[in-house]
Amino acid sequence: LAVGSPGCEQAAAAERILDFSAQHQIPPKARVIRDSEPEAALRSLRWSDGPGSAQVLVMRLSDLLADRSADQRVELLTELSDGWLAAFRAAHPRMQIAPQAAARILAGPPAQCVFASLAGPDGIIALGRAHLAGEWASLTGLWTHPAVRRQGNMTLIVVALATRASRRGARNIQVQVAAGNNEALAAYQHLGFKPHHDYGYLLPPG
């Protein structure tokens, strides 16, 4: 994650990415904010675009919750449950990660995550997760069953998570939308979210 100054020459920082990746046997890449100094520096070293990019949208919680209230049908948990994890994995069948690793990543640090789900006749039809850090709440893991999309279920999830985050001291909320997901982008903008920045990934030469 290339943000701000690396504290050394840019070429040296790029070498550290390569060394770290080799040590951990993972593909070397850098996540950069579009039009930032770190992006320009890596491009000057002939790093180029790799797959994956997203837009970060932000909003004040007071604006999001001004005329909305949490729906009691949404279940909120402060710890990752087996049911929530099973629904999440079913929603992401191509996710190539072991269940134990997924659970560890999603659970996050203690007391910093909230898990929301909305049940239908045949199981969970919508879910989401909020990670809390200071005045910020970050939405992740948002999903609605294809059969019940465009019926307001995701709004119920977002509002429930935002309400809990506000009660725990958060003042702002953010969400990341993958490039090309115009339906999700339109839905969040309809709620009042505004674009903040785009980010993408750069790969080293060769």
Side-chain angles (χ1 to χ4, degrees):
L1 175 59
V3 177
S5 171
C8 61
E9 293 294 330
Q10 300 288 357
E15 285 299 322
R16 290 188 184 182
I17 297 174
L18 299 178
D19 291 343
F20 180 90
S21 301
Q23 178 184 351
H24 293 276
Q25 299 181 344
I26 58 177
K29 58 183 176 180
R31 174 176 158 182
V32 295
I33 295 174
R34 294 303 187 194
D35 301 321
S36 66
E37 291 185 8
E39 180 189 28
L42 287 171
R43 288 192 184 279
S44 71
L45 297 170
R46 297 189 300 113
W47 287 54
S48 58
D49 290 305
S53 61
Q55 185 173 76
V56 178
L57 308 175
V58 300
M59 188 176 184
R60 293 187 185 278
L61 281 172
S62 58
D63 293 334
L64 177 60
L65 301 175
D67 56 354
R68 301 181 178 98
S69 57
D71 192 302
Q72 297 303 311
R73 292 175 295 171
V74 178
E75 181 182 32
L76 294 175
L77 301 172
T78 56
E79 294 184 0
L80 180 63
S81 68
D82 292 340
W84 195 99
L85 179 59
F88 178 85
R89 290 186 59 81
H92 301 83
R94 293 183 295 177
M95 183 174 61
Q96 298 179 351
I97 183 172
Q100 297 88 346
R104 183 174 181 180
I105 293 170
L106 290 166
Q112 286 189 332
C113 292
V114 181
F115 302 88
S117 61
L118 180 62
D122 300 318
I124 292 177
I125 60 173
L127 52 78
R129 170 184 178 271
H131 178 263
L132 309 178
E135 294 188 351
W136 281 92
S138 299
L139 297 175
T140 63
L142 297 164
W143 171 82
T144 303
H145 193 284
V148 293
R149 287 177 181 168
R150 297 189 179 184
Q151 297 180 20
N153 294 306
M154 186 49 58
T155 296
L156 299 182
I157 294 290
V158 171
V159 171
L161 289 170
T163 300
R164 179 63 63 87
S166 179
R167 291 174 181 172
R168 290 174 58 176
R171 295 292 177 265
N172 309 294
I173 190 167
Q174 69 163 334
V175 63
Q176 301 178 27
V177 180
N181 192 347
N182 296 325
E183 183 177 353
L185 185 63
Y188 291 122
Q189 290 179 330
H190 179 73
L191 288 174
F193 283 83
K194 303 295 183 184
H196 186 272
H197 66 270
D198 295 352
Y199 73 81
Y201 295 91
L202 297 181
L203 305 180

